[in-house]
Amino acid sequence: MTKTLVHISDLHFGDPKGVLNRHDVGSVVRALLQKAGPGALLLLSGDISFKGEERGYTEASEALSQVVNDVGFPRNQIVVCPGNHDVVVSATGSSPFSAFDAWSANLRGDKRCTFSGDSCRRVTFPEADFLVINTAYHADFEYGFVDLPKMESVLAEMGMMPVSGQPRIALLHHHLIPFARNDHSTTRNAYAVLSALVRHGFALVLHGHQHALLELGIGDGSLKICGVGSFRYVTPGFVNGASIYRFDEKDRVLTQHYAISKDAPGFLRAFTDF
């Protein structure tokens, strides 16, 4: 069975300057799922909302639930994690991820990708084994950080090495490698995170946050770190985008990156088409 992942990030629903409306979002997601084919997993690596606005989740629910229902996509094949824009400060003192968790539970139909009680989760499929990390668990908008004791606990449950044919993938929001001179939002304890992922045989780390297409191999290249562009945010000098990853029969990763553009068929233009 071909293992296929559709990766999008930084949707920023609630942003009044968002470049895609609800109908456009549905069109793009539908086009991506069609390109990915049956059995794909849909991954969203955070910043579902914008600046902690709870109304962003209402917009996200309406847009994503409609397209998932329209195409008959299995909700339990969606994997999500929060980003810094998903930190919602509540006057009642509830968890800063309560709004995210309610949205996630509604989208998936279960609580496997909720983070008020756990900063790291394991989500397993026959095709892939996911470590889903909340790099905003400390509720600081300015930088990423990983709860290392919790991550190590989940890794211990997973075991030292992956099952053959079931690659390990880490999904998180903040980037792990510094990207720009004035960027201070990198995951602060990234060295320990990457060391642990290499030891446990991970194949992919997928993240958002930088609104940029990024790829980097670690060590002998067996671990690839991939960032994806924003989905609908206006970032000067950057192109909104999405990525599709396919694992072949030897679990080698084949990647196709797409720019999201309103003048392209189905809103998608492969980077090889530029």
PDB file of all heavy atoms in Angstrom, residues 114-139:
ATOM      1  N   THR A 114      -6.068  16.132  20.868  1.00  0.00           N
ATOM      2  CA  THR A 114      -6.353  17.236  21.794  1.00  0.00           C
ATOM      3  C   THR A 114      -5.171  17.375  22.757  1.00  0.00           C
ATOM      4  O   THR A 114      -4.494  16.386  23.061  1.00  0.00           O
ATOM      5  CB  THR A 114      -7.657  16.987  22.566  1.00  0.00           C
ATOM      6  OG1 THR A 114      -7.561  15.744  23.273  1.00  0.00           O
ATOM      7  CG2 THR A 114      -8.849  16.929  21.611  1.00  0.00           C
ATOM      8  N   PHE A 115      -4.945  18.615  23.244  1.00  0.00           N
ATOM      9  CA  PHE A 115      -3.678  18.884  23.909  1.00  0.00           C
ATOM     10  C   PHE A 115      -3.785  19.637  25.233  1.00  0.00           C
ATOM     11  O   PHE A 115      -2.778  20.079  25.769  1.00  0.00           O
ATOM     12  CB  PHE A 115      -2.748  19.650  22.953  1.00  0.00           C
ATOM     13  CG  PHE A 115      -2.307  18.807  21.794  1.00  0.00           C
ATOM     14  CD1 PHE A 115      -3.066  18.751  20.633  1.00  0.00           C
ATOM     15  CD2 PHE A 115      -1.161  18.037  21.874  1.00  0.00           C
ATOM     16  CE1 PHE A 115      -2.678  17.951  19.569  1.00  0.00           C
ATOM     17  CE2 PHE A 115      -0.762  17.236  20.819  1.00  0.00           C
ATOM     18  CZ  PHE A 115      -1.521  17.190  19.665  1.00  0.00           C
ATOM     19  N   SER A 116      -4.965  19.760  25.786  1.00  0.00           N
ATOM     20  CA  SER A 116      -5.077  20.398  27.098  1.00  0.00           C
ATOM     21  C   SER A 116      -4.458  19.529  28.184  1.00  0.00           C
ATOM     22  O   SER A 116      -3.901  20.041  29.158  1.00  0.00           O
ATOM     23  CB  SER A 116      -6.542  20.683  27.428  1.00  0.00           C
ATOM     24  OG  SER A 116      -7.067  21.686  26.581  1.00  0.00           O
ATOM     25  N   GLY A 117      -4.535  18.215  28.021  1.00  0.00           N
ATOM     26  CA  GLY A 117      -4.002  17.307  29.030  1.00  0.00           C
ATOM     27  C   GLY A 117      -2.651  16.724  28.699  1.00  0.00           C
ATOM     28  O   GLY A 117      -1.930  16.269  29.593  1.00  0.00           O
ATOM     29  N   ASP A 118      -2.282  16.726  27.422  1.00  0.00           N
ATOM     30  CA  ASP A 118      -1.015  16.127  26.986  1.00  0.00           C
ATOM     31  C   ASP A 118      -0.334  17.037  25.987  1.00  0.00           C
ATOM     32  O   ASP A 118      -0.976  17.528  25.049  1.00  0.00           O
ATOM     33  CB  ASP A 118      -1.249  14.763  26.341  1.00  0.00           C
ATOM     34  CG  ASP A 118      -1.619  13.695  27.353  1.00  0.00           C
ATOM     35  OD1 ASP A 118      -0.791  13.422  28.242  1.00  0.00           O
ATOM     36  OD2 ASP A 118      -2.730  13.154  27.263  1.00  0.00           O
ATOM     37  N   SER A 119       0.966  17.218  26.141  1.00  0.00           N
ATOM     38  CA  SER A 119       1.718  18.054  25.209  1.00  0.00           C
ATOM     39  C   SER A 119       2.217  17.259  24.015  1.00  0.00           C
ATOM     40  O   SER A 119       2.598  17.835  22.991  1.00  0.00           O
ATOM     41  CB  SER A 119       2.900  18.709  25.920  1.00  0.00           C
ATOM     42  OG  SER A 119       3.757  17.722  26.464  1.00  0.00           O
ATOM     43  N   CYS A 120       2.225  15.944  24.115  1.00  0.00           N
ATOM     44  CA  CYS A 120       2.651  15.056  23.027  1.00  0.00           C
ATOM     45  C   CYS A 120       1.685  13.880  22.941  1.00  0.00           C
ATOM     46  O   CYS A 120       1.261  13.355  23.968  1.00  0.00           O
ATOM     47  CB  CYS A 120       4.070  14.527  23.248  1.00  0.00           C
ATOM     48  SG  CYS A 120       5.354  15.787  23.370  1.00  0.00           S
ATOM     49  N   ARG A 121       1.370  13.476  21.724  1.00  0.00           N
ATOM     50  CA  ARG A 121       0.443  12.371  21.522  1.00  0.00           C
ATOM     51  C   ARG A 121       1.004  11.420  20.471  1.00  0.00           C
ATOM     52  O   ARG A 121       1.734  11.835  19.573  1.00  0.00           O
ATOM     53  CB  ARG A 121      -0.914  12.891  21.036  1.00  0.00           C
ATOM     54  CG  ARG A 121      -1.504  14.039  21.817  1.00  0.00           C
ATOM     55  CD  ARG A 121      -2.282  13.588  22.989  1.00  0.00           C
ATOM     56  NE  ARG A 121      -3.417  12.768  22.644  1.00  0.00           N
ATOM     57  CZ  ARG A 121      -4.485  12.633  23.427  1.00  0.00           C
ATOM     58  NH1 ARG A 121      -4.557  13.290  24.563  1.00  0.00           N
ATOM     59  NH2 ARG A 121      -5.479  11.838  23.078  1.00  0.00           N
ATOM     60  N   ARG A 122       0.623  10.168  20.589  1.00  0.00           N
ATOM     61  CA  ARG A 122       0.928   9.190  19.551  1.00  0.00           C
ATOM     62  C   ARG A 122      -0.353   8.869  18.790  1.00  0.00           C
ATOM     63  O   ARG A 122      -1.374   8.546  19.398  1.00  0.00           O
ATOM     64  CB  ARG A 122       1.497   7.913  20.162  1.00  0.00           C
ATOM     65  CG  ARG A 122       1.882   6.859  19.132  1.00  0.00           C
ATOM     66  CD  ARG A 122       2.298   5.563  19.797  1.00  0.00           C
ATOM     67  NE  ARG A 122       2.798   4.584  18.822  1.00  0.00           N
ATOM     68  CZ  ARG A 122       3.133   3.335  19.133  1.00  0.00           C
ATOM     69  NH1 ARG A 122       3.019   2.915  20.395  1.00  0.00           N
ATOM     70  NH2 ARG A 122       3.583   2.522  18.199  1.00  0.00           N
ATOM     71  N   VAL A 123      -0.291   8.989  17.475  1.00  0.00           N
ATOM     72  CA  VAL A 123      -1.424   8.657  16.627  1.00  0.00           C
ATOM     73  C   VAL A 123      -0.914   7.653  15.594  1.00  0.00           C
ATOM     74  O   VAL A 123      -0.042   7.971  14.792  1.00  0.00           O
ATOM     75  CB  VAL A 123      -2.006   9.902  15.937  1.00  0.00           C
ATOM     76  CG1 VAL A 123      -3.219   9.525  15.084  1.00  0.00           C
ATOM     77  CG2 VAL A 123      -2.399  10.958  16.967  1.00  0.00           C
ATOM     78  N   THR A 124      -1.454   6.459  15.623  1.00  0.00           N
ATOM     79  CA  THR A 124      -0.919   5.351  14.833  1.00  0.00           C
ATOM     80  C   THR A 124      -1.892   4.912  13.741  1.00  0.00           C
ATOM     81  O   THR A 124      -3.095   4.816  13.979  1.00  0.00           O
ATOM     82  CB  THR A 124      -0.599   4.155  15.744  1.00  0.00           C
ATOM     83  OG1 THR A 124       0.285   4.577  16.776  1.00  0.00           O
ATOM     84  CG2 THR A 124       0.060   3.035  14.968  1.00  0.00           C
ATOM     85  N   PHE A 125      -1.340   4.657  12.568  1.00  0.00           N
ATOM     86  CA  PHE A 125      -2.059   4.090  11.441  1.00  0.00           C
ATOM     87  C   PHE A 125      -1.256   2.900  10.917  1.00  0.00           C
ATOM     88  O   PHE A 125      -0.046   2.831  11.143  1.00  0.00           O
ATOM     89  CB  PHE A 125      -2.221   5.120  10.312  1.00  0.00           C
ATOM     90  CG  PHE A 125      -2.934   6.376  10.713  1.00  0.00           C
ATOM     91  CD1 PHE A 125      -2.228   7.460  11.212  1.00  0.00           C
ATOM     92  CD2 PHE A 125      -4.308   6.481  10.580  1.00  0.00           C
ATOM     93  CE1 PHE A 125      -2.878   8.628  11.576  1.00  0.00           C
ATOM     94  CE2 PHE A 125      -4.975   7.644  10.937  1.00  0.00           C
ATOM     95  CZ  PHE A 125      -4.255   8.713  11.440  1.00  0.00           C
ATOM     96  N   PRO A 126      -1.872   1.996  10.194  1.00  0.00           N
ATOM     97  CA  PRO A 126      -1.086   0.916   9.590  1.00  0.00           C
ATOM     98  C   PRO A 126       0.005   1.443   8.671  1.00  0.00           C
ATOM     99  O   PRO A 126       1.075   0.838   8.542  1.00  0.00           O
ATOM    100  CB  PRO A 126      -2.138   0.118   8.798  1.00  0.00           C
ATOM    101  CG  PRO A 126      -3.436   0.418   9.471  1.00  0.00           C
ATOM    102  CD  PRO A 126      -3.324   1.825   9.957  1.00  0.00           C
ATOM    103  N   GLU A 127      -0.240   2.622   8.061  1.00  0.00           N
ATOM    104  CA  GLU A 127       0.709   3.185   7.103  1.00  0.00           C
ATOM    105  C   GLU A 127       1.830   3.986   7.750  1.00  0.00           C
ATOM    106  O   GLU A 127       2.891   4.170   7.150  1.00  0.00           O
ATOM    107  CB  GLU A 127      -0.010   4.105   6.105  1.00  0.00           C
ATOM    108  CG  GLU A 127      -1.130   3.451   5.336  1.00  0.00           C
ATOM    109  CD  GLU A 127      -2.461   3.476   6.074  1.00  0.00           C
ATOM    110  OE1 GLU A 127      -2.484   3.935   7.227  1.00  0.00           O
ATOM    111  OE2 GLU A 127      -3.462   3.039   5.489  1.00  0.00           O
ATOM    112  N   ALA A 128       1.622   4.500   8.958  1.00  0.00           N
ATOM    113  CA  ALA A 128       2.604   5.391   9.570  1.00  0.00           C
ATOM    114  C   ALA A 128       2.312   5.538  11.059  1.00  0.00           C
ATOM    115  O   ALA A 128       1.174   5.384  11.504  1.00  0.00           O
ATOM    116  CB  ALA A 128       2.576   6.768   8.898  1.00  0.00           C
ATOM    117  N   ASP A 129       3.372   5.858  11.812  1.00  0.00           N
ATOM    118  CA  ASP A 129       3.282   6.037  13.265  1.00  0.00           C
ATOM    119  C   ASP A 129       3.682   7.470  13.584  1.00  0.00           C
ATOM    120  O   ASP A 129       4.827   7.875  13.315  1.00  0.00           O
ATOM    121  CB  ASP A 129       4.224   5.038  13.952  1.00  0.00           C
ATOM    122  CG  ASP A 129       3.873   4.805  15.410  1.00  0.00           C
ATOM    123  OD1 ASP A 129       2.873   5.375  15.887  1.00  0.00           O
ATOM    124  OD2 ASP A 129       4.601   4.038  16.068  1.00  0.00           O
ATOM    125  N   PHE A 130       2.750   8.252  14.141  1.00  0.00           N
ATOM    126  CA  PHE A 130       2.972   9.682  14.339  1.00  0.00           C
ATOM    127  C   PHE A 130       3.256  10.024  15.807  1.00  0.00           C
ATOM    128  O   PHE A 130       2.569   9.549  16.710  1.00  0.00           O
ATOM    129  CB  PHE A 130       1.749  10.487  13.900  1.00  0.00           C
ATOM    130  CG  PHE A 130       1.592  10.597  12.417  1.00  0.00           C
ATOM    131  CD1 PHE A 130       0.911   9.618  11.710  1.00  0.00           C
ATOM    132  CD2 PHE A 130       2.125  11.677  11.722  1.00  0.00           C
ATOM    133  CE1 PHE A 130       0.760   9.704  10.342  1.00  0.00           C
ATOM    134  CE2 PHE A 130       1.978  11.777  10.357  1.00  0.00           C
ATOM    135  CZ  PHE A 130       1.296  10.785   9.660  1.00  0.00           C
ATOM    136  N   LEU A 131       4.250  10.884  15.989  1.00  0.00           N
ATOM    137  CA  LEU A 131       4.449  11.591  17.241  1.00  0.00           C
ATOM    138  C   LEU A 131       3.988  13.022  16.994  1.00  0.00           C
ATOM    139  O   LEU A 131       4.582  13.746  16.186  1.00  0.00           O
ATOM    140  CB  LEU A 131       5.928  11.576  17.644  1.00  0.00           C
ATOM    141  CG  LEU A 131       6.312  12.455  18.837  1.00  0.00           C
ATOM    142  CD1 LEU A 131       5.650  11.979  20.121  1.00  0.00           C
ATOM    143  CD2 LEU A 131       7.830  12.508  19.000  1.00  0.00           C
ATOM    144  N   VAL A 132       2.908  13.424  17.646  1.00  0.00           N
ATOM    145  CA  VAL A 132       2.316  14.742  17.438  1.00  0.00           C
ATOM    146  C   VAL A 132       2.662  15.605  18.651  1.00  0.00           C
ATOM    147  O   VAL A 132       2.316  15.261  19.786  1.00  0.00           O
ATOM    148  CB  VAL A 132       0.790  14.649  17.241  1.00  0.00           C
ATOM    149  CG1 VAL A 132       0.230  15.989  16.797  1.00  0.00           C
ATOM    150  CG2 VAL A 132       0.449  13.575  16.210  1.00  0.00           C
ATOM    151  N   ILE A 133       3.352  16.708  18.400  1.00  0.00           N
ATOM    152  CA  ILE A 133       3.942  17.507  19.475  1.00  0.00           C
ATOM    153  C   ILE A 133       3.330  18.902  19.487  1.00  0.00           C
ATOM    154  O   ILE A 133       3.231  19.563  18.436  1.00  0.00           O
ATOM    155  CB  ILE A 133       5.466  17.628  19.294  1.00  0.00           C
ATOM    156  CG1 ILE A 133       6.117  16.244  19.236  1.00  0.00           C
ATOM    157  CG2 ILE A 133       6.081  18.460  20.406  1.00  0.00           C
ATOM    158  CD1 ILE A 133       7.603  16.275  18.915  1.00  0.00           C
ATOM    159  N   ASN A 134       2.952  19.363  20.653  1.00  0.00           N
ATOM    160  CA  ASN A 134       2.495  20.735  20.834  1.00  0.00           C
ATOM    161  C   ASN A 134       3.689  21.597  21.249  1.00  0.00           C
ATOM    162  O   ASN A 134       4.040  21.648  22.432  1.00  0.00           O
ATOM    163  CB  ASN A 134       1.387  20.790  21.892  1.00  0.00           C
ATOM    164  CG  ASN A 134       0.874  22.206  22.114  1.00  0.00           C
ATOM    165  OD1 ASN A 134       1.252  23.131  21.400  1.00  0.00           O
ATOM    166  ND2 ASN A 134       0.016  22.365  23.110  1.00  0.00           N
ATOM    167  N   THR A 135       4.307  22.266  20.296  1.00  0.00           N
ATOM    168  CA  THR A 135       5.473  23.107  20.605  1.00  0.00           C
ATOM    169  C   THR A 135       5.071  24.453  21.205  1.00  0.00           C
ATOM    170  O   THR A 135       5.934  25.257  21.559  1.00  0.00           O
ATOM    171  CB  THR A 135       6.326  23.351  19.348  1.00  0.00           C
ATOM    172  OG1 THR A 135       5.486  23.858  18.290  1.00  0.00           O
ATOM    173  CG2 THR A 135       7.000  22.069  18.887  1.00  0.00           C
ATOM    174  N   ALA A 136       3.772  24.673  21.352  1.00  0.00           N
ATOM    175  CA  ALA A 136       3.281  25.891  22.016  1.00  0.00           C
ATOM    176  C   ALA A 136       2.690  25.568  23.384  1.00  0.00           C
ATOM    177  O   ALA A 136       2.003  26.396  23.980  1.00  0.00           O
ATOM    178  CB  ALA A 136       2.226  26.579  21.145  1.00  0.00           C
ATOM    179  N   TYR A 137       2.980  24.374  23.911  1.00  0.00           N
ATOM    180  CA  TYR A 137       2.343  23.919  25.152  1.00  0.00           C
ATOM    181  C   TYR A 137       2.613  24.863  26.318  1.00  0.00           C
ATOM    182  O   TYR A 137       1.821  24.963  27.257  1.00  0.00           O
ATOM    183  CB  TYR A 137       2.819  22.504  25.502  1.00  0.00           C
ATOM    184  CG  TYR A 137       4.106  22.436  26.285  1.00  0.00           C
ATOM    185  CD1 TYR A 137       4.098  22.275  27.669  1.00  0.00           C
ATOM    186  CD2 TYR A 137       5.342  22.556  25.651  1.00  0.00           C
ATOM    187  CE1 TYR A 137       5.275  22.224  28.390  1.00  0.00           C
ATOM    188  CE2 TYR A 137       6.524  22.505  26.371  1.00  0.00           C
ATOM    189  CZ  TYR A 137       6.485  22.342  27.735  1.00  0.00           C
ATOM    190  OH  TYR A 137       7.663  22.313  28.456  1.00  0.00           O
ATOM    191  N   HIS A 138       3.748  25.578  26.280  1.00  0.00           N
ATOM    192  CA  HIS A 138       4.123  26.498  27.356  1.00  0.00           C
ATOM    193  C   HIS A 138       3.365  27.814  27.265  1.00  0.00           C
ATOM    194  O   HIS A 138       3.521  28.688  28.127  1.00  0.00           O
ATOM    195  CB  HIS A 138       5.625  26.757  27.305  1.00  0.00           C
ATOM    196  CG  HIS A 138       6.111  27.265  25.978  1.00  0.00           C
ATOM    197  ND1 HIS A 138       5.810  26.657  24.794  1.00  0.00           N
ATOM    198  CD2 HIS A 138       6.879  28.328  25.655  1.00  0.00           C
ATOM    199  CE1 HIS A 138       6.368  27.318  23.787  1.00  0.00           C
ATOM    200  NE2 HIS A 138       7.017  28.338  24.290  1.00  0.00           N
ATOM    201  N   ALA A 139       2.524  27.955  26.213  1.00  0.00           N
ATOM    202  CA  ALA A 139       1.623  29.104  26.027  1.00  0.00           C
ATOM    203  C   ALA A 139       2.355  30.424  25.873  1.00  0.00           C
ATOM    204  O   ALA A 139       1.815  31.482  26.184  1.00  0.00           O
ATOM    205  CB  ALA A 139       0.607  29.194  27.174  1.00  0.00           C
TER     206      ALA A 139
END
